[in-house]
């Protein structure tokens, strides 16, 4: 019988990367629960989240954070709950939303440093410097769809786990491009 060992999405991809004044690290895996409120119970789902965590459904492009818990807009009528786990969210929102544990499906990276916006600017059509901390966007990043969330220290980038290798490769190439260009100035 095969001995299966759990690994993180970016295991073996050479992280962390510290190039110039930009650092790329994998965000430690935590529970990610996809929530799609039913249209007729959206208000009830929002109220249940507020009662349990003090966080409501965020507006498009926004996040709501309390302590280690975060609710992040993830696309049309979908939010992600990053926090205590699927079972707790399911128990709170049962009957108000479609709920799915997507924790293992995403690679999460944190890009920090003064040139982090310059790195992402080479990869996506949205200007990352236009995002304030806590704002998030679903966008094309290189050749894949990603979620990019501005943080105080840089940007969190999420892409489907199956794209982890491409994600790290493309960001590393952009980091090297920024370094090369800055050495010419």
């Amino acid at each position: 019988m095969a001995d299966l060992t759990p690994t993180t999405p970016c295991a073996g991809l050479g992280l962390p990367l510290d190039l110039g004044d930009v650092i790329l690290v994998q965000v430690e895996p935590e529970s990610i629960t996809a929530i799609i409120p039913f249209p007729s119970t959206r208000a009830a789902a929002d109220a249940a989240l507020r009662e349990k965590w003090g966080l409501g459904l965020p507006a498009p492009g926004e996040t709501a954070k309390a302590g280690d818990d975060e609710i992040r807009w993830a696309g049309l009528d979908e939010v992600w709950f990053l926090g205590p786990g699927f079972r707790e969210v399911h128990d709170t929102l049962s009957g108000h939303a479609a709920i799915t544990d997507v924790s293992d499906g995403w690679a999460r990276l944190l890009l920090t440093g003064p040139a982090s916006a310059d790195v992402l600017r080479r990869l996506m059509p949205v200007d990352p410097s236009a995002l304030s901390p806590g704002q998030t966007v679903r966008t094309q990043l290189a050749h894949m769809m990603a979620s990019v969330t501005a943080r105080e220290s840089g940007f969190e980038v999420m892409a489907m786990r199956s794209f982890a290798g491409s994600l790290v490769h493309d960001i590393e190439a952009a980091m090297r491009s920024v370094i090369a260009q800055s050495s010419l100035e």
Side-chain angles (χ1 to χ4, degrees), residues 90-111:
H90 181 273
D91 292 346
T92 301
L93 294 178
S94 183
H96 301 303
I99 305 154
T100 306
D101 182 353
V102 296
S103 306
D104 291 335
W106 292 92
R108 295 176 65 196
L109 302 174
L110 183 63
L111 183 68

Side-chain angles (χ1 to χ4, degrees), residues 12-152:
L13 297 178
L15 296 178
L17 282 173
D18 187 345
L19 301 173
D21 59 356
V22 184
I23 299 170
L24 181 66
V25 298
Q26 179 176 234
V27 176
E28 288 303 314
E30 66 180 322
S31 178
I32 305 171
T33 304
I35 302 167
I36 302 175
F38 303 133
S40 61
T41 60
R42 184 173 177 80
D46 184 69
L49 288 168
R50 288 181 190 282
E51 182 179 329
K52 177 74 174 174
W53 285 284
L55 301 170
L57 295 171
E62 299 295 328
T63 63
K65 195 165 174 71
D68 292 335
D69 299 326
E70 179 180 346
I71 299 179
R72 183 182 303 173
W73 177 80
L76 182 63
D77 296 329
E78 181 178 354
V79 298
W80 291 329
F81 188 93
L82 294 89
F86 172 75
R87 180 55 48 204
E88 196 169 351
V89 174
H90 181 273
D91 292 346
T92 301
L93 294 178
S94 183
H96 301 303
I99 305 154
T100 306
D101 182 353
V102 296
S103 306
D104 291 335
W106 292 92
R108 295 176 65 196
L109 302 174
L110 183 63
L111 183 68
T112 59
S116 58
D118 293 332
V119 170
L120 290 180
R121 204 174 278 117
R122 285 166 166 69
L123 298 170
M124 56 190 257
V126 176
D127 182 1
S129 61
L131 299 174
S132 300
Q135 288 186 311
T136 190
V137 63
R138 288 295 295 265
T139 185
Q140 182 174 337
L141 187 108
H143 63 280
M144 66 201 98
M145 290 306 295
S147 170
V148 177
T149 304
R151 299 290 184 207
E152 292 292 336

